[in-house]
Amino acid sequence: MKITMLGTSRAGKTTYLSALLGTLYEGAIDGFRIGPFDSTNEEINKELDKINVLYKEGKWPDGTSGDNVRNLSLSLFKNQNRLVDFDFIDYRGGALDDISLNENSERTMELSMALMASDVALVFIDSIILYHCKNIIVARRHLGVNPIMTVLSKAKERLARAHKKMNVIFVLTKIDAIPENAIPALKERVKELYSNIYSQFGAAANEFKIFDVSAVGRNTVKTTAEWIEDEEEGSRHFYVTNDIITRDLDFEASNIVAVLAQAFLEGINNVEYDVVQLESSIQNLKSTFNRWQKLIDTLFHKSVKKHQIFSLEGELRKSKSQLNDLASYRFELENLISKKY
């Protein structure tokens, strides 16, 4: 299963990942925890340990910068049972700036193809910017809505042709820095922000979820939001700075785990769909192989075709096994979502 995070720089993707690992990497909630997919992979283990140590110290790792893509191969466990392996992918927010300049760029193709391989896309929205930008057009610009819609739309077109599904979850970050009573209205504004995506996904858009998350703690962040005039460009830019006054290490990060639980629930449905498609592909391949066996034997390609079939069948068995394991805990995942973690 693949989960990809999208959002502008400083939207809260890396902070979310840090809070998630800090909550579930060494600890567990209702028996659920996450760990490295490959315990012998020193690079990933080092990255996980670094993020976890910083979290315990009340600090955050650096955001994904440059051309970097943070890809963590993880596994979900229930007590000692390994349920599912998944990739958690964090694309640098600056990639969206490239796409906003040229929606047909190589970066657009790269990101839309990555989304096509994903089961769930987490779209991160900075609630502070959304709260202060009353004009929806200004909010779209500062939240990178247009480039995000571009890659989602292009990915959807390819997904439809490949008979594959992908779900979208909106993650409203930094809610501990805005008034609590403003959150319901901001969730409604998210639908307005992404109205084009809602219309393009049609009936599937009714299943889009919007989660509000926090990772620091209310009354522990001093937020400064201001408009700054750029005399050279002759335009105004909106800047937000957040100073963590104190980090409450006992604070339970709100809805951090719920977002992951929802991603797994939606991933279950997508994997079920993919399994059906994979079974169909295997049957078609076997049928083709049987019809052309003599010709294949003559051309010495028989072993190649058999290898393809065996590879697909191995992938199918693994997908079915993990699907069954994860689906058996569907009710418990739903319970996680109802809790404020």
Side-chain angles (χ1 to χ4, degrees):
M1 189 178 295
K2 292 184 183 294
I3 302 171
T4 298
M5 298 193 290
L6 290 176
T8 56
S9 297
R10 304 186 68 188
K13 301 188 301 298
T14 303
T15 298
Y16 169 83
L17 178 60
S18 177
L20 180 65
L21 292 176
T23 306
L24 290 180
Y25 181 48
E26 289 186 352
I29 293 179
D30 292 353
F32 287 103
R33 63 181 178 86
I34 55 179
F37 164 70
D38 181 1
S39 58
T40 64
N41 189 317
E42 293 184 5
E43 184 177 345
I44 289 183
N45 289 341
K46 186 177 180 181
E47 177 82 359
L48 291 172
D49 289 336
K50 176 184 175 182
I51 293 174
N52 200 39
V53 168
L54 287 173
Y55 183 83
K56 288 181 176 179
E57 294 176 351
K59 301 175 183 177
W60 308 107
D62 295 331
T64 309
S65 59
D67 286 327
N68 295 333
V69 176
R70 181 182 278 115
N71 187 347
L72 297 179
S73 294
L74 304 167
S75 297
L76 176 71
F77 295 84
K78 172 65 174 178
N79 299 323
Q80 300 305 313
N81 298 323
R82 186 178 196 149
L83 298 185
V84 66
D85 305 320
F86 65 102
D87 285 336
F88 210 94
I89 305 165
D90 176 9
Y91 271 86
R92 70 178 182 93
L96 297 177
D97 296 332
D98 301 339
I99 295 170
S100 65
L101 296 174
N102 180 8
E103 66 176 32
N104 294 314
S105 67
E106 290 184 9
R107 186 72 68 188
T108 307
M109 177 69 72
E110 172 192 332
L111 196 44
S112 62
M113 289 298 289
L115 282 173
M116 183 179 171
S118 301
D119 296 288
V120 180
L122 303 181
V123 177
F124 283 71
I125 301 166
D126 188 326
S127 66
I128 301 172
I129 293 178
L130 185 58
Y131 176 71
H132 287 278
C133 287
K134 306 303 181 185
N135 185 296
I136 197 67
I137 297 176
V138 175
R140 281 198 178 103
R141 184 170 73 249
H142 283 86
L143 293 169
V145 172
N146 288 341
I148 290 175
M149 287 200 299
T150 295
V151 294
L152 284 174
S153 298
K154 289 185 178 297
K156 184 181 182 301
E157 292 172 4
R158 294 187 175 94
L159 286 165
R161 291 197 293 269
H163 303 289
K164 192 177 183 301
K165 290 185 176 181
M166 179 190 69
N167 289 74
V168 177
I169 298 174
F170 293 104
V171 183
L172 195 59
T173 62
K174 308 177 186 177
I175 62 162
D176 37 13
I178 64 168
E180 283 187 86
N181 59 9
I183 295 173
L186 291 187
K187 287 187 174 182
E188 289 302 313
R189 290 196 75 199
V190 169
K191 297 177 183 178
E192 184 181 1
L193 278 177
Y194 284 95
S195 57
N196 287 347
I197 288 298
Y198 270 78
S199 62
Q200 287 179 24
F201 274 74
N206 294 327
E207 301 175 3
F208 286 179
K209 298 295 189 299
I210 305 172
F211 284 89
D212 52 284
V213 302
S214 60
V216 179
R218 193 167 293 281
N219 302 319
T220 63
V221 184
K222 180 182 178 182
T223 300
T224 303
E226 58 182 336
W227 289 95
I228 297 179
E229 298 284 350
D230 189 324
E231 295 182 1
E232 292 185 5
E233 294 185 8
S235 59
R236 301 169 75 217
H237 296 274
F238 187 69
Y239 288 93
V240 176
T241 56
N242 297 307
D243 296 319
I244 299 177
I245 303 169
T246 179
R247 173 71 199 285
D248 181 2
L249 294 180
D250 293 327
F251 168 72
E252 289 185 341
S254 177
N255 279 345
I256 294 292
V257 175
V259 171
L260 184 66
Q262 184 66 46
F264 283 132
L265 285 174
E266 300 194 4
I268 289 172
N269 296 330
N270 290 342
V271 173
E272 285 176 342
Y273 181 83
D274 291 345
V275 163
V276 172
Q277 298 300 317
L278 189 55
E279 286 179 322
S280 176
S281 297
I282 290 173
Q283 291 305 316
N284 290 337
L285 190 57
K286 282 184 173 180
S287 176
T288 301
F289 177 77
N290 291 333
R291 284 201 309 270
W292 296 93
Q293 186 170 9
K294 290 184 179 179
L295 178 59
I296 291 170
D297 289 343
T298 303
L299 297 175
F300 302 102
H301 288 167
K302 181 177 180 180
S303 61
V304 175
K305 287 293 184 180
K306 277 190 173 180
H307 174 73
Q308 289 177 348
I309 295 173
F310 291 151
S311 176
L312 281 173
E313 288 183 325
E315 184 178 342
L316 179 63
R317 282 194 296 271
K318 182 179 178 181
S319 296
K320 277 188 169 181
S321 175
Q322 292 203 338
L323 173 64
N324 291 333
D325 289 341
L326 189 58
S328 67
Y329 290 99
R330 189 192 297 262
F331 180 72
E332 292 179 64
L333 288 170
E334 290 171 348
N335 282 343
L336 283 181
I337 296 172
S338 65
K339 297 181 178 181
K340 294 291 285 185
Y341 288 114

